[in-house]
Amino acid sequence: MATRWGICSAGKISHDFLVALETLPAEEHQVVAIAARDLARAQEYAQRHRIPRAYGSYEELAQDPDVDVVYVGVIHPQHLPVGRLFLGAGKSVLLEKPLGMNVAEVRELAQVARTHGVFLMEAYWTRFFPASERLHALLSQGALGEVKVVRAEFGAPLSGCPRVVQKELGGSALLDIGCYCVHFATMVFGGERPESIIASGFLYSTGVDETLSVILNYRGKSQAVITCSIMGWLPNQAAVSGTKGIIQLPSHMWSPTELVVNGQQEEFPLPAPSQHLHFPYSTGLRYEARHVRQCLLKGLKESPVMSLAHSELVASIMDEVRRQLGVTYPQDQA
């Protein structure tokens, strides 16, 4: 039986998620409904992607009995209330990163999911790419020996996008793109909490972070060095260095299709999209969707790969980084 998806929001990322789902077998994944605050926009998406039902409110989608799991792609400050809506209605939820504006929101969402006995996962799609799975396997096998240094960077000229720079919309280089680097580091270090966090950076005129660097120091004299910026392009690479070698992700580290393992290149091509994509390599969203289906078939309430504890750890690290930079949101006072 196919997993029946509902899509919450008709934004760019939701479009790309729909295109990614179209690369998967129809007998395994079906989109049965989409909801947006603007009914006309939901209807437009429904027509373009051949979705049977379109709703002009999220509440209607939450009450649709044919929906097994909801993909939520709303802006950051809406993650908690919208996630709470669907979880409270008994729907499983794949919620875009960051799971919450802060660790308190992440913990609340996790508690709501557990109270209602439904599945919840942060949509950190990077973790499910074949290249990421290969990297994780090599680390698990001890291919690099003891990991000593992890580097990750993500920068793109996004300051012209209101969603990225306006505080009321949850703007932030860290929350929007830097979170990929934090997730990467915590994945490599197996969910270990860093012993210390050192952050430095600059704020945009609106009071959100625009460029920052972070050092996460781990036990055993190991560290992760992270840089992100919304002011211009960075090489957008990542690397894991150990006592026995190095693994590099030479470009677009958040959607990796290539590894270089001790100088040997390994490629993991993506399927071609059937429609225009707003973000590069977005057909890779298929891998997290496939993982969610496997979790639901097994009756799991959270992912063993992208656990709620991991999401909570990442959120706590980002809270500390924001504290050091002086970036606060109304949600921090709740």
Side-chain angles (χ1 to χ4, degrees), residues 37-322:
R37 297 297 189 191
D38 180 350
L39 177 58
R41 188 162 175 80
Q43 291 172 332
E44 174 196 342
Y45 266 55
Q47 181 177 11
R48 185 188 311 172
H49 296 280
R50 300 181 299 280
I51 302 170
R53 293 186 291 282
Y55 298 119
S57 73
Y58 302 154
E59 290 77 11
E60 291 174 282
L61 179 61
Q63 297 306 315
D64 189 325
D66 294 330
V67 171
D68 299 318
V69 56
V70 179
Y71 170 78
V72 178
V74 297
I75 61 173
H76 300 164
Q78 291 298 307
H79 286 188
L80 175 62
V82 174
R84 195 164 45 197
L85 167 69
F86 290 112
L87 294 168
K91 301 298 185 189
S92 295
V93 173
L94 174 63
L95 180 53
E96 262 305 332
K97 55 81 200 163
L99 195 60
M101 288 292 293
N102 52 39
V103 72
E105 291 196 350
V106 171
R107 288 171 179 155
E108 181 174 345
L109 283 167
Q111 184 56 50
V112 173
R114 290 168 180 143
T115 298
H116 291 275
V118 290
F119 178 88
L120 170 65
M121 189 182 89
E122 182 177 16
Y124 176 58
W125 64 320
T126 309
R127 183 60 183 83
F128 303 98
F129 276 70
S132 295
E133 293 183 338
R134 170 67 171 151
L135 170 62
H136 189 263
L138 288 168
L139 293 174
S140 299
Q141 296 162 10
L144 295 185
E146 184 182 357
V147 173
K148 302 305 296 182
V149 178
V150 174
R151 299 187 68 91
E153 56 187 12
F154 193 166
L158 300 172
S159 60
C161 178
R163 178 185 62 79
V164 179
V165 296
Q166 292 183 14
K167 183 170 285 194
E168 63 272 20
L169 300 180
S172 163
L174 178 65
L175 296 183
D176 196 65
I177 58 177
C179 59
Y180 286 106
C181 302
V182 179
H183 265 294
F184 182 80
T186 51
M187 181 273 289
V188 171
F189 283 105
E192 180 182 338
R193 185 173 295 277
E195 293 185 339
S196 65
I197 300 170
I198 303 169
S200 180
F202 304 101
L203 305 188
Y204 198 69
S205 58
T206 56
V208 306
D209 49 287
E210 64 171 50
T211 298
L212 64 144
S213 293
V214 181
I215 299 175
L216 306 177
N217 288 316
Y218 292 87
R219 60 182 174 84
K221 297 182 180 179
S222 300
Q223 68 177 197
V225 182
I226 291 165
T227 303
C228 68
S229 178
I230 57 171
M231 303 308 293
W233 290 107
L234 290 174
N236 296 332
Q237 301 174 348
V240 183
S241 301
T243 53
K244 294 182 180 178
I246 180 171
I247 300 174
Q248 297 164 280
L249 288 71
S251 63
H252 49 93
M253 55 77 58
W254 66 93
S255 51
T257 56
E258 180 185 355
L259 295 181
V260 180
V261 182
N262 292 326
Q264 299 298 311
Q265 185 179 31
E266 300 181 15
E267 295 187 356
F268 306 85
L270 297 174
S274 60
Q275 300 185 38
H276 166 76
L277 294 172
H278 294 289
F279 304 102
Y281 318 107
S282 286
T283 50
L285 290 162
R286 70 198 302 268
Y287 301 117
E288 67 176 1
R290 195 169 60 185
H291 177 76
V292 169
R293 171 176 164 79
Q294 291 304 312
C295 288
L296 296 179
L297 289 174
K298 295 174 183 176
L300 301 178
K301 304 308 179 185
E302 64 177 283
S303 165
V305 175
M306 189 62 241
S307 68
L308 296 175
H310 191 106
S311 294
E312 182 178 324
L313 171 61
V314 169
S316 68
I317 291 172
M318 294 197 297
D319 279 4
E320 174 58 21
V321 171
R322 289 197 296 110

